[in-house]
Amino acid sequence: MGGLLREAFNVDIPRSLFESHNMHEEETSYDMHEGGSSYDMHKDFDFRCDVDNVNPSTYSSEEDLKYKRLMEASYEGLYEGCTTFSKLSFLLHLFHLKSMFHWSAESFTKLLELLVDAFPQINEFPSSYYEGMKIIKDLRLGYEKIDACQNYCMLYWGKFAEKSECHVCHTSRWKTVKGKEGHTSERGKESCKKGESAKVLRYFPLIPRLKRFYMSSKTTKDMSWHFGRKDNKVLRHPADGEAWKFFDEIYQEFVADPRSVRLGLASDGFNPYLLMNTNYSIWPVVLIPYNLPPWNCMKPTSFILSLIVPGKYSPDIDIDVYLQPLIHELKLLWNGVDTFDAYSGENFKMRAALHSPINDFPAYAMLSGWSTRGYKACPSCAHSTDSYNFGGKICYPGHRKWLPLDHTYRSQAHLFDRTVEYDVAPVPISGKDILKKQERIKYVYGK
């Protein structure tokens, strides 16, 4: 079931939600909150830079310089005697407002110039948008632009990074512009203007974002909250579930270090324009670190935006094409990457695995590859699904087989489809059986 996600689940072979303050000026960020004041949303975020004074020798020279700059900005008060804001936290507040209210880079620069002139007591504060961006970039909140085929066939990434047309549908990589000189298309009246990509995937690298959790001794300790839980009577966290415990039994080396990360994956399409009459949909993919306690892991500040699949239509099962960079990093994380632990003061191999997805039934079909429509729509019954066509609609009457053999509903044919149910529930197919079936499938990305 599925192409790329099955690789992430088959591990043997392998803080803000929208960080739009790091986007270039020509791109647009959208205020997703339709009701209420934007200032209410602003209060939900804590912009304090919570990093510890760790041994700089554990970092590379480049990381060392970035870390020192962040430390200086986070501990330096905005002005002498200021206890409310540090230089870094105040700058983050300004960039957050820029994102919410769509300020241009020029207007942001003018605001900074006014603040520096009006309050000379502010300690060496940046006076332009680009000077502020130099400080913000050290937080590693950037993202990568990866060109994609217009028809969801491929990414111009990896060995295809230099290609100028799709190797599946042979569509040009570049935007089609009418009346411009360039490579003329088959229609003759349009040309492909090189330099303007037709479709762009925005990918937010996962590894540096996971490393940030271990830069603070507080969040590092929280990342081990799930370890050693012995309360088997109450289901309050994924660590109490059977899937988590089953994984622990199989991959004991992974479990031996409580800092190993378990991730949830959520994805769904939405209209970024807040207009019901606009037919446009983009698909963000968000990761949730399940290591954190339940009162933290589902907060927006803990969510990790992984990628934004561009619109305007749903990628459907071809979402696998866009998940390739994420799966590549998940494979690296399964083997482990060097990370510094601020709580223990030592380096360790940080490993991560995808625990489970969060989605509705249509998105389930996209992410898994199992069609949730038609005669075999049930992922639990699979090929044992009972279904038939009635009045142009597909009906699924076999739900009574899951009841106990002596249940009265089994014999009450007049209440259902005029039949008595004698069948027993099918045995759910195991993961090993699914993998055996997948070995006979040659998966090709794209159409």
Side-chain angles (χ1 to χ4, degrees), residues 12 21 28 34 39 53 57 124 133 142 156 179 193 218 245 266 295 297 305 310 340 360 369 381 423:
D12 281 327
H21 58 262
T28 308
E34 187 171 8
Y39 288 99
N53 191 12
S57 63
E124 297 182 2
M133 284 297 297
Y156 296 96
K193 187 178 180 181
K218 180 180 177 181
K245 296 174 183 177
W295 52 87
C297 72
L305 179 63
F340 182 78
D360 55 16
C381 298
D423 291 341

Side-chain angles (χ1 to χ4, degrees), residues 142-154:
Y143 65 96
E144 299 175 10
K145 287 183 177 181
I146 303 176
D147 293 351
C149 173
Q150 303 178 49
N151 299 320
Y152 306 97
C153 298
M154 61 168 286

Side-chain angles (χ1 to χ4, degrees), residues 249-266:
E249 294 176 3
I250 299 177
Y251 303 104
Q252 297 183 5
E253 183 182 353
F254 182 94
V255 178
D257 191 342
R259 295 169 294 192
S260 297
V261 185
R262 317 283 183 98
L263 296 168
L265 184 147

Side-chain angles (χ1 to χ4, degrees), residues 47 93 127 247 277 279 353 357 382 418 428:
F47 290 97
H93 273 92
S127 58
F247 184 90
N277 60 346
N279 184 20
R418 305 293 180 182

Side-chain angles (χ1 to χ4, degrees), residues 95-237:
F95 271 97
H96 186 216
L97 292 172
K98 176 188 180 301
S99 172
M100 285 196 302
F101 299 109
H102 318 299
W103 297 347
S104 66
E106 185 178 357
S107 65
F108 192 76
T109 297
K110 293 299 181 183
L111 173 63
L112 292 178
E113 291 175 353
L114 178 62
L115 289 174
V116 172
D117 291 340
F119 304 100
Q121 65 270 31
I122 294 179
N123 297 325
E124 297 182 2
F125 202 71
S127 58
S128 69
Y129 168 77
Y130 293 102
E131 287 180 12
M133 284 297 297
K134 291 179 182 178
I135 300 176
I136 297 299
K137 283 182 178 179
D138 288 343
L139 288 170
R140 304 177 192 171
L141 300 181
Y143 65 96
E144 299 175 10
K145 287 183 177 181
I146 303 176
D147 293 351
C149 173
Q150 303 178 49
N151 299 320
Y152 306 97
C153 298
M154 61 168 286
L155 294 179
Y156 296 96
W157 174 77
K159 64 180 180 180
F160 301 117
E162 303 301 324
K163 296 286 185 180
S164 59
E165 70 171 26
C166 176
H167 68 276
V168 179
C169 66
H170 303 290
T171 303
S172 174
R173 175 177 182 169
W174 315 110
K175 278 187 178 180
T176 301
V177 182
K178 292 185 178 181
K180 297 286 184 180
E181 294 182 358
H183 174 67
T184 305
S185 66
E186 293 179 356
R187 285 172 285 182
K189 297 181 180 180
E190 299 177 354
S191 62
C192 300
K193 187 178 180 181
K194 188 173 181 179
E196 296 185 25
S197 303
K199 195 178 288 287
V200 179
L201 168 71
R202 285 163 176 83
Y203 177 65
F204 300 76
L206 174 61
I207 292 175
R209 283 163 171 78
L210 290 181
K211 285 185 175 181
R212 289 214 316 266
F213 280 101
Y214 292 97
M215 288 182 65
S216 165
S217 59
K218 180 180 177 181
T219 53
T220 301
K221 190 175 181 180
D222 285 344
M223 290 294 282
S224 302
W225 177 89
H226 66 283
F227 189 74
R229 293 177 49 77
K230 297 181 180 180
D231 188 359
N232 297 322
K233 297 180 180 180
V234 180
L235 182 64
R236 67 183 68 181
H237 188 269

